[in-house]
Amino acid sequence: MLAFSRSRVLLLGAIFSAVVPGNAQVAGNIDTCPGYQATNVVTTASTLTANLTLNGPACNVYGTDLTDLMLVVEYQTDTGLHVQIYDSAQQVYQVPSSVVTRPDSTTNSTATDAALQFAYVANPFSFSVQRASTNETIFDTSGADLVFESQYLRLRTSLPANPNLYGFGEDTDPFHLNTTNYTRTLWSRDAYEIPPGTNLYGNHPIYFDHRETSNETHGVFLLNSNGMDLKINDTAETGQYLEYNTLGGIVDLYFLAGPSPIQVAQQYSQVIGTPTMMPYWGFGFHQCRYGMQDVYEVVDVVFNYSAANIPLETMWTDIDYMDLRKVFTLDPVRFPLEKMQEMITHLHDHDQHYIMMQDPAIAYQDYPPFTNGVAADAFMKNSNGSVFKGVVWPGVTSFPDWFAPNTQDYWTDEFASFFNASGLDIDGLWIDMNEISNFCYYPCSDPEAFAIFNGDPPTPPEIRTYNPLSIPGLPVDLQPMCQVSALFLLNVSTIVGQNLFMTGNVTDLGDWDIANAAPLLSTDYTVARPLWDLEISLPPDTVVSYKYVFQGTDGTFTYENGNRTITVGACGSSSITQEDAWAGNSTTTAPSIIESANVYPATNLNVGSPTSPGTGLMQGLPGRNYTNPLYQINDAAGAISNLTLATNLVHANGLVVYDTHNLYGTMMSYASRTTMISRRPGLRPIIITRSTFAGAGSQIGHWLGDNTATWFDYRISIAESIAFAAIYQIPLVGADVCGYAEDTTETLCARWAMLGAFLPFYRNHESSGFIDHEFYRWPLVAEAARGAIKARYQLLDYLYTAFYHQTIDGTPTLNPMFFLYPEDTNTFDIALQYFYGPSLLISPVTNENVTDVTIYLPDDQFYDFFTYQPIRGTGSWTTLTNINFTTIPVYIKGGSVLPIRVDGANTTTALRTLDFNLIIAPGLNGSATGSLYLDDGVSLVQNATSVIQFIYNGGNSTLSMTGTFGYDVGSVQIADVILLGGGTPMTITANKPLTGGFTMTIAANVTGGIPPYMNTSMQITNASAAPQWYGYGALAQWNVLFRALWVYPLGILFVAAFYASLVASYLVVVVQPSNMDLSQCPSRVSSQQARLFDTHVYSKQFNCTAWNESAIWTDKELCSEGFQGNSDAYGLGVRIGIYLQWLSATIANQTLPDTRALLSQAYVIFSLAIAIAILVLTVQNQCVFAIEMVIMYIMFFRGYIAVFFQPNLAKKGDSPEWLGMQWTRAITMILYILVVGHGTWFWTYGYDKYFINMPCGTTNFVIVPISNYGFAVVRILLGVMTLWTTAEFLILAPLFVILFYQELKRSVVDSPIYQGLFPRGQHVLVIDQTEPIQSSIDKRIFRRLASWHRILRRRLGFLRLGLFRDLPVLEGSSS
């Protein structure tokens, strides 16, 4: 948090800073440095060590070359390789293990078993790291020699061209790192408005490298806290490379093998520590604003959220609450203790929470936090032992030394006295300015003068005047107090350069503290009437004592004699005007306002001699230039000591700020966490901090700092958040929603309210001086926020579970798209979409004032989160339109089970009493999994937890809940199960307690109960009420099996089901022809006509002179006594494939084995005829006939393929080869009966009957389910065959189009048909009549077709969006 004074600070830099030289002339060219030579190499099964000695004359470019180094390589785990290069004397600074924990150096792997292999070249020394499985090199330093100097370290690795790199934060640059002429600087900085291309608040020297050639990811972590430039470039001389340039420290590299991005994240968490678990309520919605006038305005915000019906979980207060910005104080008038306590109590009574800001800088004034710190020897000191002074919000400040032995106790004691149950019982802590920020430019030789000139502390806001704000619903004590306006006029003659101040016994007059006296203005000063004026608000019913203070041109101050008094009236009193004259000089004078309060000169300090660096304890080399090193990193603040602690300060333990600067914010956060646990033992603290280092997530969360209310910062907050959560292992992360600085807009705030709801940390915050943007201030934003918060709260346990998993093994809570689709190259650059948890794809609108967004959907199954409609991703970009300003596109990834609360709530406490629903979103294989973690939400150590897994098996349509069930959720249960996958989601009442596992069958129950047209046995009792499932009839019964098909490999199961269905149809139709009674059929083709047709075909085409009594499936069998009456479905349907083949042969006067070209001709003609017929019949409302034509079209295509691939199957005879033609006939018959299904009866051995009646027009068809289990299985098998045939057609059709074009465009058959239909020269799809297809197709074409075929088979999920869009799943029993 940084306010308007920052711009002023920058302008004052030239006045209050010494001249800092730029890069001095260096001694030589860094590329001429000699590098090192490896000797004394010792290897074991799991380690390698060597001595590295300088390989020539020292170059000493940016410091002194170190001559003797050590190389240590450890195979710490099977996937983790640790490489260290450090000085043999171990004087060079290394990051303390007290700040960043390391894995145990005990190796748990060997070089033989490890996924990564270390290799080296001895002279000149370089090393590389390869994958053992592929020999791919992931790190190679041979392109440039190692440079290891006293104040500079260079290490370069080569990279493949156009690498995919991520990490090296904190930044607001693209998530996918630039790879040409790019520098990323790591050096903590108070970065107002987070400008891109600059160093920001935190430092995370970890990068992920995703290799496109192998679709594998690895990570490289450099454990080094010194300032550094990370350079990525690609030149003709060097090739693509990444180069570390640090101001010191050692090479301490951790290589993480992955090979998936998520596995790299998990492995990194094992190096730096997994994140800490946060309290459940911390995931609720938070509100803050800098610039609150008083406690009543804070209360007013709380009330207005309630009035607008927008849930508010936690209210925050910025530094407004402090007395003139001093930490551990309250403004006694604007934020009096008793009112603050009453407000906090009110929040707690309503299950809400309260968080306050804490800065590290302690005012250098005579008040307990400072005096206690001096007594504890807890502050940073100058070399002479005096307390180091900087300037922050309260003016001149001191800074805690987190390495000092007493600082933790000092910090804990201050919290105990201020933030406690009898004081301010806060629920969490917010840490700001801990980079560490210092407003004063180095060397800041006169901090007192700078503080005055810069206006620190800033003038408090006006005390609330009379006409108090009334806040309905709140106690009278929490209504704002009235104030009385007063105007003071002082008559005194002055000259230019002289000033007047006023001090007194009230806060706005400084409480007699001259450092905080109120300045008078000379706005109306004239020679005739020399009046200085001060307009101020005073508390009612108060006797105010005051006096004036004169400042001379030399800067000295003189008090007037005596004290004045004025009595302020009650509320509603008229404003006061008081005119005074100077009362004469007092004997009290002071050289300056600030210095008079500086009561702790160095001689009064109880200090010891600071430890000198360079003691051989890895604390840093002596004799370095700490403030102006020869190599200067690209720090946006200028010299590394600018606007922060002087980098030559030495900590109590001997470390130097030059080395530890980047650790300061994390160390303060750690100390504060310890303190918060001490004041609330046993409870999880929530601490949100601004400055972080690697490993900080093991203790705290992070907000993204002082962003702006711009669409750029809205967009970049996505990249920042996924980087912190997925790469840096700080998952509780989020931006200031609607923007901190600058004025927001209604539409930006509405969009941001929705985006923020799908990030782990969700807080609306803004700076002073800009338009207020709490969600309730615009109706549009309020509507967006209500919807977004409801969705967030329903998903809160899903988020909480994902967060829990990250605390266990580092699995990210947020995922960039390539984490879940590492093989999809389109996802590598995407930074405006991300996965919230493992299952929700967030695709927000990201441009100003538009209602469309172009998003990418990978080749996978998705479902709209809000409508549950299925969406098949195709690995392509699509544009969404008409996205209003209260909607955000969110998609469920197929294969997920989401536990969601049945509704939203006003607080997370109320939310935890609501039941769960389970959303099952089957993946392409028909199955889905999910998890749920439950605990009490607040305890550091849980007495009992539940870790639950959900598994949906599409093969048998069962849902199982397993796991541990230790946490008592009371009456909370799984209420409903919502199964997605069709046009209408299926809701099944479950009512399953969360006390143990269960397995239940998921079945179609569209309304949550038995459909009104069926009885309890699922038999239709009211045909007119039954829904019309256009054209699919009995296929409704097969939806369960169809879903199950996705569990197994599609090809194997479809083929198996196909042959099984043939056997089943043979058993039902052929062996027992009496099972078919077609007497009820309307006239289509008479049996006599069918027999005449068969006789003609067999005698003329197949040279059959008599019926073949022994042939399988002969017409005599089918057309005997089993077919009664004057018609049969077989007569029209089953003959169409044979007939068209016969027609083709007749036209061309050819025999069947050579009719492939003729079939293709007939196919073209038949396609046109069918298309016209379907159009005509549909227009005439002849639905049944139109469907019949479609089926004939499909079946001819099936017969055509059979003959095309295996022409010998078309021969006559009794051999099994004849089965090829039987396929066509059998499939035609079965499809005709089961899909067209007009008036066909099945009889099954005296059991129940199955009836379909689907005429065209208004009459509904009826399903009467059979009760016989055996025949139901037969029907299911026949249905599977139907599905297979349809799928086969849809797969093979595009393949054959390609095949025809590739193979047949070379020739045109000289057929009268084609010559008549198409003029010669046109491209006609014709099959070569003579050359076998296998030898005529280029192998490359076959490979291409095979690839397309695999892709199409993977994409068969579209069938569920088509055939079964409106079909329910049968109700089943649960167990």
Side-chain angles (χ1 to χ4, degrees):
M1 185 274 303
L2 188 142
F4 59 89
S5 61
R6 169 56 66 237
S7 59
R8 191 174 177 186
V9 169
L10 297 176
L11 292 174
L12 295 174
I15 300 175
F16 291 97
S17 64
V19 176
V20 178
N23 276 325
Q25 184 175 359
V26 296
N29 184 347
I30 197 69
D31 292 326
T32 65
C33 290
Y36 290 83
Q37 178 180 358
T39 59
N40 300 324
V41 178
V42 178
T43 60
T44 70
S46 56
T47 63
L48 179 150
T49 60
N51 297 110
L52 303 181
T53 56
L54 199 64
N55 202 26
C59 58
N60 299 331
V61 177
Y62 295 121
T64 302
D65 285 280
L66 276 65
T67 58
D68 298 301
L69 306 177
M70 285 293 299
L71 168 68
V72 177
V73 180
E74 298 174 321
Y75 292 93
Q76 291 189 337
T77 67
D78 287 348
T79 57
L81 177 68
H82 185 205
V83 177
Q84 280 188 313
I85 301 175
Y86 55 87
D87 60 310
S88 299
Q90 290 190 287
Q91 283 190 311
V92 174
Y93 163 78
Q94 297 188 30
V95 177
S97 58
S98 61
V99 183
V100 181
T101 59
R102 277 82 149 178
D104 192 335
S105 60
T106 302
T107 56
N108 296 315
S109 184
T110 65
T112 304
D113 298 329
L116 300 178
Q117 297 295 311
F118 179 88
Y120 71 94
V121 175
N123 188 14
F125 170 75
S126 67
F127 72 90
S128 60
V129 179
Q130 295 90 25
R131 288 193 182 277
S133 59
T134 62
N135 293 323
E136 180 184 30
T137 299
I138 66 171
F139 202 88
D140 184 359
T141 68
S142 61
D145 288 325
L146 169 69
V147 180
F148 202 126
E149 298 182 339
S150 56
Q151 289 194 256
Y152 177 74
L153 188 155
R154 184 191 73 177
L155 183 71
R156 180 186 294 179
T157 177
S158 59
L159 293 170
N162 303 312
N164 301 300
L165 304 178
Y166 313 86
F168 288 146
E170 178 174 10
D171 66 281
T172 51
D173 292 346
F175 177 65
H176 186 281
L177 295 181
N178 296 327
T179 56
T180 303
N181 197 28
Y182 180 66
T183 299
R184 174 72 57 79
T185 299
L186 300 186
W187 186 255
S188 296
R189 182 177 73 93
D190 181 350
Y192 184 58
E193 296 192 344
I194 54 173
T198 67
N199 49 309
L200 303 183
Y201 310 107
N203 307 278
H204 298 271
I206 166 79
Y207 76 91
F208 285 26
D209 182 350
H210 184 67
R211 297 290 172 91
E212 186 172 341
T213 54
S214 61
N215 288 319
E216 293 182 328
T217 308
H218 64 269
V220 182
F221 170 48
L222 174 65
L223 181 51
N224 185 309
S225 66
N226 287 84
M228 67 181 70
D229 286 335
L230 301 153
K231 298 183 178 181
I232 309 173
N233 203 3
D234 184 7
T235 68
E237 297 78 16
T238 63
Q240 184 75 62
Y241 69 86
L242 162 66
E243 184 176 274
Y244 298 90
N245 298 266
T246 79
L247 294 178
I250 69 167
V251 176
D252 194 353
L253 291 167
Y254 290 84
F255 295 93
L256 312 168
S260 75
I262 290 178
Q263 287 173 314
V264 176
Q266 293 168 337
Q267 292 154 13
Y268 182 52
S269 75
Q270 303 310 309
V271 174
I272 61 169
T274 54
T276 186
M277 192 62 186
M278 294 292 176
Y280 186 91
W281 60 265
F283 297 95
F285 169 65
H286 305 255
Q287 174 63 51
C288 186
R289 173 157 44 92
Y290 175 46
M292 292 284 194
Q293 183 177 3
D294 51 27
V295 64
Y296 306 110
E297 188 168 7
V298 179
V299 173
D300 184 53
V301 170
V302 175
F303 165 75
N304 279 308
Y305 268 102
S306 177
N309 195 29
I310 302 174
L312 173 63
E313 184 69 21
T314 305
M315 189 67 203
W316 297 46
T317 304
D318 209 310
I319 58 176
D320 307 307
Y321 74 87
M322 299 177 185
D323 182 17
L324 297 173
R325 302 301 190 263
K326 298 189 296 289
V327 298
F328 300 117
T329 67
L330 284 174
D331 183 321
V333 175
R334 297 168 184 82
F335 294 86
L337 176 61
E338 65 276 8
K339 300 301 180 186
M340 291 290 287
Q341 290 173 327
E342 191 167 357
M343 179 190 68
I344 294 173
T345 300
H346 175 83
L347 289 170
H348 289 171
D349 288 346
H350 290 80
D351 296 325
Q352 294 171 292
H353 299 85
Y354 187 59
I355 291 177
M356 299 174 74
M357 175 179 277
Q358 178 69 20
D359 288 346
I362 309 295
Y364 198 108
Q365 297 178 25
D366 186 10
Y367 85 122
F370 179 74
T371 58
N372 293 340
V374 170
D377 204 9
F379 295 135
M380 297 298 303
K381 298 176 184 176
N382 296 306
S383 58
N384 64 2
S386 63
V387 173
F388 173 80
K389 297 178 184 177
V391 177
V392 196
W393 294 114
V396 179
T397 55
S398 57
F399 302 89
D401 177 1
W402 304 110
F403 284 111
N406 298 326
T407 302
Q408 180 65 70
D409 290 341
Y410 156 71
W411 200 245
T412 299
D413 291 343
E414 293 304 316
F415 269 73
S417 63
F418 185 70
F419 296 116
N420 55 54
S422 59
L424 298 173
D425 190 15
I426 59 173
D427 300 291
L429 190 67
W430 176 22
I431 299 176
D432 194 16
M433 314 295 288
N434 58 338
E435 290 72 31
I436 182 154
S437 180
N438 178 6
F439 294 167
C440 193
Y441 269 72
Y442 180 79
C444 194
S445 55
D446 190 352
E448 290 81 9
F450 182 87
I452 295 173
F453 203 87
N454 198 52
D456 295 312
T459 303
E462 287 292 320
I463 299 174
R464 193 180 294 275
T465 58
Y466 185 69
N467 187 21
L469 179 69
S470 178
I471 307 176
L474 294 179
V476 175
D477 290 347
L478 268 181
Q479 301 298 332
M481 296 174 57
C482 68
Q483 304 293 330
V484 178
S485 178
L487 174 64
F488 291 89
L489 301 172
L490 175 63
N491 192 322
V492 59
S493 296
T494 57
I495 62 175
V496 175
Q498 295 175 333
N499 292 291
L500 275 301
F501 294 83
M502 183 176 177
T503 186
N505 67 340
V506 294
T507 299
D508 274 29
L509 298 179
D511 286 323
W512 294 116
D513 184 351
I514 191 62
N516 300 315
L520 277 69
L521 302 177
S522 56
T523 306
D524 299 323
Y525 184 96
T526 64
V527 175
R529 187 171 172 77
L531 290 180
W532 289 73
D533 63 272
L534 172 64
E535 188 171 6
I536 196 170
S537 294
L538 298 173
D541 298 318
T542 304
V543 176
V544 177
S545 296
Y546 66 98
K547 67 170 54 180
Y548 297 101
V549 183
F550 176 84
Q551 181 189 34
T553 56
D554 60 355
T556 59
F557 291 84
T558 302
Y559 294 76
E560 69 171 347
N561 285 321
N563 292 338
R564 304 173 184 270
T565 61
I566 186 173
T567 300
V568 181
C571 287
S573 300
S574 300
S575 60
I576 301 171
T577 299
Q578 176 69 30
E579 185 170 342
D580 297 318
W582 182 258
N585 294 347
S586 167
T587 57
T588 302
T589 60
S592 74
I593 291 178
I594 302 298
E595 289 182 6
S596 66
N598 184 5
V599 296
Y600 293 96
T603 55
N604 293 337
L605 291 171
N606 179 19
V607 298
S609 300
T611 303
S612 299
T615 60
L617 301 175
M618 300 178 290
Q619 293 185 323
L621 293 168
R624 292 177 290 168
N625 185 341
Y626 298 119
T627 58
N628 192 33
L630 290 177
Y631 181 84
Q632 294 197 356
I633 59 175
N634 191 30
D635 179 13
I640 57 176
S641 290
N642 277 345
L643 302 177
T644 187
L645 293 180
T647 48
N648 61 350
L649 298 180
V650 181
H651 292 283
N653 66 347
L655 297 177
V656 184
V657 172
Y658 176 91
D659 298 312
T660 65
H661 167 86
N662 285 342
L663 302 178
Y664 193 95
T666 294
M667 294 192 67
M668 178 188 177
S669 300
Y670 289 2
S672 300
R673 175 179 169 85
T674 300
T675 292
M676 290 293 286
I677 293 174
S678 176
R679 61 178 290 273
R680 279 187 169 187
L683 296 183
R684 294 174 187 155
I686 181 171
I687 298 173
I688 303 297
T689 190
R690 194 166 73 174
S691 181
T692 60
F693 188 73
S698 64
Q699 307 279 331
I700 49 84
H702 172 65
W703 102 102
L704 298 174
D706 297 341
N707 64 354
T708 61
T710 61
W711 284 91
F712 174 83
D713 280 6
Y714 166 88
R715 290 188 292 268
I716 203 64
S717 70
I718 301 172
E720 289 183 277
S721 296
I722 58 179
F724 268 94
I727 298 178
Y728 311 141
Q729 289 293 321
I730 305 180
L732 190 64
V733 62
D736 284 342
V737 171
C738 298
Y740 174 73
E742 310 302 332
D743 287 331
T744 194
T745 65
E746 181 177 9
T747 54
L748 173 60
C749 198
R751 293 287 190 213
W752 216 329
M754 293 180 289
L755 172 63
F758 291 93
L759 291 171
F761 178 59
Y762 186 27
R763 184 185 68 170
N764 181 322
H765 180 45
E766 65 176 302
S767 182
S768 63
F770 304 110
I771 185 173
D772 295 342
H773 61 50
E774 287 86 1
F775 288 158
Y776 54 77
R777 296 192 180 272
W778 292 283
L780 180 70
V781 178
E783 181 183 353
R786 278 189 290 267
I789 295 174
K790 178 181 179 180
R792 178 184 179 87
Y793 280 21
Q794 285 188 278
L795 287 163
L796 206 61
D797 293 271
Y798 162 79
L799 170 62
Y800 192 68
T801 300
F803 200 96
Y804 162 76
H805 286 305
Q806 186 157 4
T807 68
I808 296 301
D809 63 10
T811 302
T813 301
L814 300 182
N815 290 276
M817 289 188 71
F818 88 91
F819 269 39
L820 271 64
Y821 297 94
E823 297 182 0
D824 188 341
T825 57
N826 293 321
T827 65
F828 297 169
D829 290 334
I830 296 177
L832 297 179
Q833 295 174 258
Y834 62 96
F835 278 91
Y836 181 64
S839 303
L840 289 178
L841 176 60
I842 314 301
S843 304
V845 176
T846 53
N847 290 319
E848 183 175 6
N849 293 333
V850 299
T851 57
D852 61 85
V853 62
T854 299
I855 68 169
Y856 182 76
L857 288 179
D859 181 10
D860 206 347
Q861 181 66 54
F862 294 91
Y863 304 84
D864 187 296
F865 172 73
F866 295 103
T867 67
Y868 295 157
Q869 289 301 303
I871 300 170
R872 181 65 169 90
T874 59
S876 60
W877 296 86
T878 183
T879 298
L880 309 178
T881 58
N882 299 319
I883 306 169
N884 63 46
F885 288 94
T886 59
T887 302
I888 181 171
V890 178
Y891 301 101
I892 306 172
K893 185 179 184 295
S896 305
V897 177
L898 297 185
I900 68 168
R901 299 283 180 171
V902 296
D903 201 355
N906 283 328
T907 66
T908 60
T909 300
L911 183 70
R912 290 172 63 88
T913 66
L914 300 181
D915 288 343
F916 287 96
N917 287 339
L918 294 183
I919 300 176
I920 301 176
L924 293 178
N925 64 358
S927 298
T929 61
S931 61
L932 175 63
Y933 172 74
L934 300 170
D935 64 14
D936 67 17
V938 294
S939 297
L940 267 174
V941 179
Q942 292 291 327
N943 292 325
T945 63
S946 294
V947 183
I948 302 169
Q949 291 79 41
F950 303 103
I951 300 174
Y952 172 69
N953 186 334
N956 55 18
S957 299
T958 58
L959 171 68
S960 299
M961 183 174 81
T962 62
T964 61
F965 302 89
Y967 178 66
D968 183 4
V969 296
S971 61
V972 175
Q973 62 179 353
I974 304 295
D976 290 336
V977 175
I978 304 171
L979 179 62
L980 311 186
T984 302
M986 312 308 166
T987 300
I988 299 92
T989 300
N991 292 332
K992 299 293 186 181
L994 290 164
T995 56
F998 66 82
T999 298
M1000 62 181 292
T1001 300
I1002 304 300
N1005 192 343
V1006 179
T1007 63
I1010 296 174
Y1013 52 86
M1014 287 186 174
N1015 59 24
T1016 56
S1017 299
M1018 298 302 292
Q1019 294 176 321
I1020 291 180
T1021 56
N1022 183 359
S1024 62
Q1028 295 188 50
W1029 297 323
Y1030 179 75
Y1032 296 116
L1035 294 182
Q1037 311 263 339
W1038 304 324
N1039 199 22
V1040 174
L1041 183 66
F1042 183 79
R1043 295 178 187 279
L1045 295 179
W1046 303 102
V1047 179
Y1048 310 101
L1050 284 176
I1052 296 175
L1053 187 60
F1054 273 150
V1055 170
F1058 177 73
Y1059 282 102
S1061 65
L1062 289 179
V1063 174
S1065 62
Y1066 174 79
L1067 292 175
V1068 175
V1069 180
V1070 180
V1071 177
Q1072 297 286 341
S1074 60
N1075 287 341
M1076 299 189 62
D1077 181 2
L1078 305 179
S1079 60
Q1080 304 298 320
C1081 296
S1083 176
R1084 288 290 184 270
V1085 180
S1086 69
S1087 298
Q1088 181 62 30
Q1089 290 173 316
R1091 293 188 184 95
L1092 290 175
F1093 173 81
D1094 289 336
T1095 301
H1096 178 71
V1097 170
Y1098 282 117
S1099 62
K1100 300 298 184 183
Q1101 180 61 36
F1102 295 104
N1103 297 319
C1104 294
T1105 58
W1107 296 107
N1108 189 334
E1109 299 289 346
S1110 62
I1112 299 177
W1113 291 7
T1114 63
D1115 285 324
K1116 182 177 180 180
E1117 286 186 68
L1118 292 176
C1119 297
S1120 60
E1121 66 279 1
F1123 288 80
Q1124 305 296 328
N1126 61 1
S1127 67
D1128 63 86
Y1130 178 80
L1132 177 62
V1134 78
R1135 291 163 175 77
I1136 192 65
I1138 299 176
Y1139 175 74
L1140 290 172
Q1141 295 175 56
W1142 167 79
L1143 177 63
S1144 300
T1146 301
I1147 293 174
N1149 194 23
Q1150 294 182 352
T1151 58
L1152 280 175
D1154 297 313
T1155 59
R1156 287 175 293 169
L1158 298 164
L1159 287 174
S1160 65
Q1161 299 166 17
Y1163 181 72
V1164 173
I1165 299 172
F1166 191 61
S1167 297
L1168 296 174
I1170 290 295
I1172 296 172
I1174 291 173
L1175 177 63
V1176 172
L1177 292 172
T1178 303
V1179 170
Q1180 294 179 350
N1181 198 26
Q1182 299 295 318
C1183 302
V1184 175
F1185 291 98
I1187 294 173
E1188 290 175 358
M1189 299 300 287
V1190 172
I1191 298 305
M1192 288 189 292
Y1193 177 73
I1194 295 174
M1195 286 306 97
F1196 172 67
F1197 186 78
R1198 176 65 181 83
Y1200 160 68
I1201 293 172
V1203 177
F1204 174 77
F1205 274 120
Q1206 299 187 40
N1208 289 334
L1209 293 182
K1211 293 180 180 179
K1212 108 179 182 30
D1214 302 331
S1215 67
E1217 294 173 338
W1218 176 240
L1219 186 60
M1221 291 308 297
Q1222 300 303 326
W1223 287 3
T1224 302
R1225 303 171 65 190
I1227 293 170
T1228 304
M1229 178 185 66
I1230 293 166
L1231 276 176
Y1232 188 87
I1233 294 174
L1234 297 182
V1235 180
V1236 177
H1238 56 283
T1240 301
W1241 287 80
F1242 278 96
W1243 291 93
T1244 58
Y1245 308 103
Y1247 291 99
D1248 207 348
K1249 57 189 176 182
Y1250 182 84
F1251 174 67
I1252 305 175
N1253 179 21
M1254 195 197 70
C1256 214
T1258 59
T1259 305
N1260 298 328
F1261 72 91
V1262 180
I1263 299 178
V1264 180
I1266 66 169
S1267 59
N1268 178 265
Y1269 177 81
F1271 191 58
V1273 172
V1274 172
R1275 295 207 323 276
I1276 290 175
L1277 291 174
L1278 295 176
V1280 171
M1281 189 207 62
T1282 302
L1283 297 176
W1284 160 254
T1285 306
T1286 306
E1288 183 182 46
F1289 167 75
L1290 294 172
I1291 292 172
L1292 293 177
L1295 287 177
F1296 270 85
V1297 170
I1298 300 169
L1299 180 70
F1300 294 161
Y1301 181 75
Q1302 293 285 353
E1303 173 61 18
L1304 309 176
K1305 66 181 180 180
R1306 298 182 292 106
S1307 63
V1308 177
V1309 176
D1310 294 329
S1311 166
I1313 298 178
Y1314 277 106
Q1315 292 178 9
L1317 290 176
F1318 306 102
R1320 185 175 297 277
Q1322 287 190 357
H1323 291 288
V1324 180
L1325 304 183
V1326 182
I1327 295 179
D1328 191 301
Q1329 298 184 61
T1330 59
E1331 190 174 18
I1333 185 172
Q1334 288 82 356
S1335 62
S1336 64
I1337 300 295
D1338 186 89
K1339 292 182 179 180
R1340 288 174 299 175
I1341 299 176
F1342 268 122
R1343 285 196 297 268
R1344 187 181 309 165
L1345 289 175
S1347 174
W1348 282 47
H1349 186 259
R1350 287 193 298 271
I1351 293 173
L1352 286 172
R1353 283 191 177 274
R1354 286 201 301 268
R1355 295 180 180 176
L1356 272 178
F1358 71 87
L1359 290 176
R1360 296 174 57 205
L1361 308 183
L1363 286 179
F1364 297 99
R1365 180 181 299 278
D1366 300 315
L1367 301 185
V1369 183
L1370 290 180
E1371 179 62 46
S1373 61
S1374 61
S1375 60

